[in-house]
Amino acid sequence: MNISKKAIIVEDNLILSLLYENYVKEMVFKTVGEISSGEKAVELVQKYAPDIVIMDIMLEGEMDGIQAAEEIRKFSKTPIVFITGNSDMVHLEKAKKIENTKFLRKPISEDKLKKAVDYLLSTRKCEF
């Protein structure tokens, strides 16, 4: 099995981070590190240019997932799947304004994540 796609998982809950890592490995993605802050996410997206980012909205550090995604959009169109247990309208509306993203509410299943990733990657291919 050739793993050529890279994913970055940004989640401050270690158990969920490991769960999402298993999900993306099933989709034949290689993951890059355990990231729990928005600042580190921005840095690693710039460094590794992943195919997809799986990002919680509430993170450690000064920057939440939406702010990190806004920073990432300054240099990359990498698809981002937002995952959150916080489904208030303020976060939802902010997340919707960021291009090339999907928004999933916790708890998520492997199937839901796969559908979101497939959607974003197939949409991305159609742009070129």
Side-chain angles (χ1 to χ4, degrees):
M1 179 169 17
N2 183 18
I3 299 176
S4 59
K5 298 179 284 185
K6 293 180 293 213
I8 290 181
I9 298 169
V10 189
E11 168 62 66
D12 60 353
N13 179 315
L14 181 60
I15 293 167
L16 291 176
S17 181
L18 293 170
L19 179 65
Y20 303 157
E21 186 174 350
N22 284 333
Y23 288 172
V24 297
K25 280 183 180 173
E26 288 294 317
M27 291 182 257
V28 199
F29 280 87
K30 177 181 162 194
T31 59
V32 181
E34 290 169 8
I35 304 155
S36 58
S37 74
E39 294 84 353
K40 190 73 173 170
V42 173
E43 179 187 320
L44 291 183
V45 168
Q46 202 158 24
K47 181 176 180 180
Y48 291 108
D51 297 284
I52 193 93
V53 176
I54 313 298
M55 180 140 38
D56 190 11
I57 288 181
M58 304 311 278
L59 298 169
E60 292 176 2
E62 297 294 313
M63 189 182 289
D64 68 22
I66 294 169
Q67 292 165 320
E70 289 168 343
E71 286 301 307
I72 289 166
R73 282 294 169 265
K74 292 178 181 177
F75 62 85
S76 172
K77 291 185 189 281
T78 299
I80 298 171
V81 178
F82 287 117
I83 299 175
T84 188
N86 183 353
S87 57
D88 69 81
M89 290 308 292
V90 173
H91 283 97
L92 189 58
E93 290 306 313
K94 278 184 168 181
K96 282 182 179 177
K97 290 179 184 171
I98 300 169
E99 289 181 17
N100 206 15
T101 62
K102 288 291 276 177
F103 191 88
L104 300 177
R105 287 187 177 94
K106 292 177 184 175
I108 66 159
S109 64
E110 183 176 347
D111 186 54
K112 277 185 184 177
L113 183 59
K114 182 174 179 6
K115 284 179 180 171
V117 169
D118 288 347
Y119 171 81
L120 286 169
L121 294 180
S122 67
T123 304
R124 188 169 142 198
K125 287 179 186 145
C126 294
E127 289 176 3
F128 300 108

